Amino acid sequence: MKSIIFSTIFIQAYSIIVPSKDCFKVNTIYNRGHSIAQKTAAGPFECQEWCQLVRRCTHFSFTSASQTCFLRQGDRSEPKLGVVSGPKHCPPATLNQVQAKPVCNGSLCLGGSTSKNSGNVMVDDKPVCDDDWGLEDAAVACRQLGFPGVERATKESEFGTVSSSFSMDNVRCRGNETDLKDCYHKTADDCD
């Protein structure tokens, strides 16, 4: 998933990030039977930390009885007693900060951040995959949303967990396009 931060002036601000336990689901398993890796872990937090180190992992499932962590790709869930599951990254719960409303222009939106000038890139209400995502692509999205420029392009859903169903993949802009959809891209995703 691509994320971008737009700004011409950047003011460093510090906040306390508190892990959101609301993103963990008890008695739920993701993509049953399709783990990409497994190992023994002390608990769901350690399991999530391992998932964050593995690029292909999007979700994890931790089985309490066997203390086994399963890394998963995908967000299809089903009930399973004794399993705690969650995404690679929980959306941050910040003290004294409220999530900003998404900034949109047509089908392109930027959201998931506490700032109106940063967030995950969405097209047609679905995330844009971060494969090949870079400054040229971010510059086109910024321009389309009315921002004067781009500060940096981020990857791996920096601004919160998103769906594993993507609207665009392998986006490659030249940098002079006026709409992100005008850039070369694939609509069938193989996002990894």
Side-chain angles (χ1 to χ4, degrees), residues 80-99:
K80 177 77 174 163
L81 288 175
V83 177
V84 177
S85 297
K88 182 176 203 164
H89 298 284
C90 292
T94 56
L95 300 179
N96 302 322
Q97 291 190 359
V98 176
Q99 191 173 35

Side-chain angles (χ1 to χ4, degrees), residues 21-139:
K21 293 179 184 175
D22 293 338
C23 76
F24 285 19
K25 294 185 178 183
V26 178
N27 296 327
T28 300
I29 190 167
Y30 284 113
N31 290 14
R32 182 182 200 157
H34 295 91
S35 69
I36 57 174
Q38 71 182 58
K39 74 174 191 175
T40 302
F45 287 103
E46 182 181 318
C47 191
Q48 184 184 43
E49 288 173 3
W50 183 40
C51 180
Q52 292 168 357
L53 297 173
V54 177
R55 179 160 168 70
R56 289 181 49 218
C57 179
T58 62
H59 292 77
F60 68 89
S61 294
F62 176 76
T63 306
S64 302
S66 65
Q67 298 284 282
T68 305
C69 174
F70 297 91
L71 301 188
R72 312 277 188 192
Q73 229 179 348
D75 59 358
R76 191 183 77 245
S77 65
E78 63 182 80
K80 177 77 174 163
L81 288 175
V83 177
V84 177
S85 297
K88 182 176 203 164
H89 298 284
C90 292
T94 56
L95 300 179
N96 302 322
Q97 291 190 359
V98 176
Q99 191 173 35
K101 290 184 180 179
V103 174
C104 298
N105 182 356
S107 63
L108 175 69
C109 290
L110 185 68
S113 176
T114 57
S115 166
K116 70 175 185 161
N117 65 338
S118 62
N120 292 324
V121 179
M122 309 289 277
V123 172
D124 297 325
D125 296 321
K126 292 182 178 178
V128 176
C129 180
D130 63 2
D131 292 350
D132 300 327
W133 186 253
L135 285 174
E136 293 85 5
D137 314 308

Side-chain angles (χ1 to χ4, degrees), residues 1 18 33 35 59 118 149 155 158 165 183-184:
M1 166 69 201
V18 179
S35 69
H59 292 77
S118 62
K155 293 188 174 195
E158 183 173 310
S165 176
C183 299
Y184 169 84

